[in-house]
Amino acid sequence: MRSVAYAILIGLIGAAMLHIVLVLGLPRFSAEDAYSRVLGLFEMDSFFRLTRAPGTTGLSDDDPFLRVAVCGFSVAGGPVRFSAGGDVPFWSFAVYDSTSNEVFSMNDATAVQRKLDVIAATPRQLTELRKLPSDALGAAILVEMRDPEGYAVVRAMAPTQSFEESARDFLAKASCETFRAEN
């Protein structure tokens, strides 16, 4: 009976120590999530191209065949429109909320005329957008953001050196800006 009590006591002490370590370590881990790193780029509402070498935020473009750009954004001040186009063999796009959960993704095969045209908005903003004439929105895909803040990632494939320039141009022309009905 004594050994059982001793085992339970040791288990409780171990669990308490583990919880203390987790609680004290949590701020360190939460400051290094993807959203915090994107905010560290200081490039809100515009795509920022990542380089091969990790920058000050630790983000990098480590895939040899994909070129990557990220954009931090907020729909609190209005819907945000993402657009890009160009001649690349493949591109992909994803929207994440501030907790790094994927909200939406697509690629060139699922896009109208292989062009990126997405508008992210809150549920209330989407209701207002749907009241606009169809030519104001064009072929844009509407994405609902329950969390007003997030980030978007666009990737362009450059499988050989000959595609490098077109991938760079695709990312350079990608936009992430507040949507205005007169756009």
Side-chain angles (χ1 to χ4, degrees), residues 101-124:
N101 291 315
E102 186 176 44
V103 175
F104 175 79
S105 66
M106 67 181 293
N107 61 43
D108 62 328
T110 57
V112 176
Q113 297 178 350
R114 297 191 69 217
K115 293 182 180 176
L116 171 61
D117 190 8
V118 173
I119 299 175
T122 64
R124 174 174 268 162

Side-chain angles (χ1 to χ4, degrees), residues 119-143:
I119 299 175
T122 64
R124 174 174 268 162
Q125 292 166 346
L126 285 175
T127 301
E128 294 302 315
L129 286 173
R130 289 185 177 106
K131 294 177 185 177
L132 294 174
S134 61
D135 60 333
L137 297 176
I141 297 170
L142 303 178
V143 175

Side-chain angles (χ1 to χ4, degrees), residues 151-162:
Y151 62 98
V153 178
V154 65
R155 298 170 186 91
M157 181 178 252
T160 64
Q161 189 64 33
S162 62

Side-chain angles (χ1 to χ4, degrees), residues 29-180:
F29 295 120
S30 64
E32 294 182 12
D33 69 333
Y35 180 66
S36 298
R37 290 178 180 199
V38 169
L39 290 181
L41 296 172
F42 301 110
E43 294 284 335
M44 292 293 284
D45 297 328
S46 64
F47 278 103
F48 180 82
R49 188 162 177 253
L50 300 181
T51 59
R52 296 253 183 246
T56 57
T57 62
L59 294 174
S60 66
D61 177 3
D62 57 359
D63 189 305
F65 300 115
L66 292 175
R67 304 302 162 256
V68 182
V70 297
C71 171
F73 68 92
S74 174
V75 295
V80 175
R81 184 174 222 156
F82 305 97
S83 60
D87 188 24
V88 291
F90 171 83
W91 60 260
S92 69
F93 171 76
V95 175
Y96 300 89
D97 63 16
S98 63
T99 57
S100 299
N101 291 315
E102 186 176 44
V103 175
F104 175 79
S105 66
M106 67 181 293
N107 61 43
D108 62 328
T110 57
V112 176
Q113 297 178 350
R114 297 191 69 217
K115 293 182 180 176
L116 171 61
D117 190 8
V118 173
I119 299 175
T122 64
R124 174 174 268 162
Q125 292 166 346
L126 285 175
T127 301
E128 294 302 315
L129 286 173
R130 289 185 177 106
K131 294 177 185 177
L132 294 174
S134 61
D135 60 333
L137 297 176
I141 297 170
L142 303 178
V143 175
E144 182 177 314
M145 294 289 297
R146 297 216 180 263
D147 183 350
E149 296 185 347
Y151 62 98
V153 178
V154 65
R155 298 170 186 91
M157 181 178 252
T160 64
Q161 189 64 33
S162 62
F163 287 102
E164 242 352 277
E165 187 176 341
S166 61
R168 273 195 306 263
D169 287 345
F170 180 85
L171 295 177
K173 292 176 184 172
S175 70
C176 165
E177 54 195 21
T178 302
F179 174 74
R180 304 277 181 242

